[in-house]
Amino acid sequence: MEYNPPVKKVLISGEQIDKRVKELADKISEDYKGRTPILVGILRGSVLFFSNLVKNLSIDCNLDFMCLASYSGTESSGKVRFILDMREDVKGRDVIIVEDIVDTGITGQYLLDLLKTRNPASVEICSLLDKPSNRQLEIKPKYVGFEIENEFVIGYGLDYNELYRNLPYIGVFDETKK
Ligand code: IMP
């Protein structure tokens, strides 16, 4: 069936993502050997990355989710809307926040601040994408799949107005199709 999503070009193919996610999962498995981290997927953007990442881990782990929102169209609102909290108690635990992309850094900083009030043993961020040139807050995710330019991307969980999360690759959004 023909499907023509508004993609100007494929930036990262599904194969490239699979390969890189395996590398990230190996690194996390090594770094957390003998511990049982809680991986917290940030809904909804991280959902494809999250499932790919966790199935490649070779350590015990707990899985949990939080739901946040901050974007409308291709612009960050600059404010985080908290929609759904996680269920696990993070006190004394190692937490890995799993995000689709760190852009302005506002969401990441919000999550770090929030989780630190709950006294975890450690908190790190693992993000499929990083757009450091658009940063407003100084945060550096410990695990990054790919660093990208300041372009609006869709696919592999990332949306434009809640569409195109289903694409099996990361593509540059075609703004003329807005
Ligand atoms: P922040 O600006 O670092 O707070 O990023 C917050 C959220 O904005 C991310 O988790 C994404 O859901 C969304 N976002 C940022 N850049 C893009 C993009 O290029 N495409 C789709 N969503 C994005």
Side-chain angles (χ1 to χ4, degrees):
M1 220 173 75
E2 203 177 329
Y3 182 35
N4 289 314
V7 170
K8 220 161 38 181
K9 67 168 180 192
V10 174
L11 194 63
I12 310 167
S13 70
E15 291 74 28
Q16 286 173 298
I17 296 173
D18 283 347
K19 182 166 173 282
R20 183 70 188 123
V21 170
K22 279 200 182 77
E23 290 169 4
L24 286 177
D26 285 348
K27 178 82 177 94
I28 291 173
S29 302
E30 204 179 287
D31 291 353
Y32 289 83
K33 200 171 165 194
R35 288 139 81 188
T36 305
I38 308 178
L39 283 98
V40 184
I42 307 305
L43 300 172
R44 292 182 276 246
S46 79
V47 74
L48 273 74
F49 174 47
F50 186 86
S51 51
N52 195 346
L53 182 72
V54 301
K55 72 182 179 185
N56 281 290
L57 290 176
S58 48
I59 48 167
D60 287 342
C61 57
N62 296 124
L63 309 185
D64 209 334
F65 299 94
M66 276 190 186
C67 186
L68 302 177
S70 67
Y71 255 63
S72 158
T74 57
E75 292 298 323
S76 168
S77 67
K79 282 198 200 96
V80 179
R81 208 152 43 89
F82 190 82
I83 296 166
L84 181 80
D85 204 350
M86 59 190 289
R87 295 185 65 184
E88 296 278 339
D89 182 2
V90 303
K91 190 159 183 259
R93 302 288 307 276
D94 295 303
V95 179
I96 305 174
I97 298 166
V98 181
E99 284 212 75
D100 52 354
I101 183 165
V102 179
D103 179 25
T104 62
I106 292 171
T107 307
Q109 190 61 57
Y110 174 92
L111 285 166
L112 290 174
D113 291 346
L114 175 72
L115 287 170
K116 280 179 185 163
T117 64
R118 300 177 180 179
N119 302 314
S122 67
V123 194
E124 298 292 353
I125 295 178
C126 173
S127 185
L128 175 62
L129 304 176
D130 189 10
K131 244 194 238 181
S133 56
N134 205 32
R135 214 56 116 247
Q136 290 178 23
L137 298 175
E138 275 291 308
I139 71 161
K140 210 171 155 29
K142 178 154 186 194
Y143 305 98
V144 169
F146 303 90
E147 206 173 285
I148 64 166
E149 300 294 316
N150 191 10
E151 290 179 302
F152 193 81
V153 291
I154 54 173
Y156 215 83
L158 291 108
D159 72 309
Y160 169 70
N161 283 348
E162 290 307 326
L163 291 173
Y164 319 119
R165 294 191 194 274
N166 53 311
L167 304 180
Y169 55 83
I170 303 280
V172 178
F173 179 60
D174 184 350
E175 306 256 353
T176 64
K177 306 269 170 63
K178 260 201 227 177

